[in-house]
Amino acid sequence: MRQPASFDAAPKSATLRVFPLSHTMENAFNERGVTVTRNGLSVAGQVFAFRDIRDVEVVTVYKNKLVPIGISLAGVAAAIAGGLYGSSATLVCGVMLVVVGYLSWTTQDVTHRLIVDTADGKREALSSVDLDFVERVAGVVRDARNATSAA
């Protein structure tokens, strides 16, 4: 079956109409619960109107090192004390704390947050482990905000 060369050359139908995207597409972006329309940004029930958005920024939150290291060091100290004093319960608790410290380190994720600056202050709109997705949302919001302010 031959494909039409362009949308203008597509067969006309009463049930299926082909319109340019600018006329029919209300949502400029709709992915993973994030919707950017011509009027604003909607994320997980939060709605930010473009007239209220001053700026958006992507902030990266790295793994917390203090808690896993502290738990592991306490576990090492307890394991050493249990070994020196012949207390098997203290030795086992110390080893368990070392394992908990290791698990708390490995299960943490580096997260990326979309921060929206409004007149009310800065608010977190989106949090994800996927940096590309958060940067793409920020770019779409900047482009849509600039387009609405230019119009």
Side-chain angles (χ1 to χ4, degrees):
M1 179 177 214
R2 224 177 68 158
Q3 296 293 329
S6 69
F7 286 115
D8 296 331
K12 306 294 184 226
S13 170
T15 57
L16 178 64
R17 296 185 184 150
V18 179
F19 294 106
L21 290 177
S22 61
H23 296 294
T24 61
M25 190 166 167
E26 178 71 22
N27 299 339
F29 184 88
N30 189 5
E31 187 177 331
R32 299 186 203 173
V34 177
T35 304
V36 179
T37 65
R38 61 182 169 169
N39 296 323
L41 166 69
S42 174
V43 180
Q46 298 182 81
V47 178
F48 301 93
F50 285 138
R51 66 179 178 273
D52 298 335
I53 296 176
R54 294 181 188 165
D55 192 24
V56 292
E57 63 180 315
V58 177
V59 176
T60 300
V61 179
Y62 294 98
K63 291 183 176 185
N64 182 359
K65 296 178 184 177
L66 185 64
V67 173
I69 290 173
I71 292 173
S72 296
L73 288 177
V76 168
I80 290 172
L84 289 177
Y85 295 112
S87 173
S88 60
T90 307
L91 178 66
V92 169
C93 287
V95 171
M96 286 176 26
L97 282 175
V98 170
V99 170
V100 167
Y102 170 75
L103 291 175
S104 68
W105 172 258
T106 58
T107 58
Q108 289 183 42
D109 289 324
V110 175
T111 57
H112 310 282
R113 297 178 179 174
L114 180 70
I115 306 296
V116 176
D117 185 14
T118 63
D120 296 334
K122 293 185 176 186
R123 294 187 4 201
E124 178 185 335
L126 173 66
S127 180
S128 175
V129 296
D130 187 2
L131 177 62
D132 293 334
F133 174 68
V134 177
E135 286 180 342
R136 193 168 63 231
V137 171
V140 169
V141 169
R142 284 187 193 107
D143 292 345
R145 189 174 63 88
N146 292 338
T148 56
S149 64

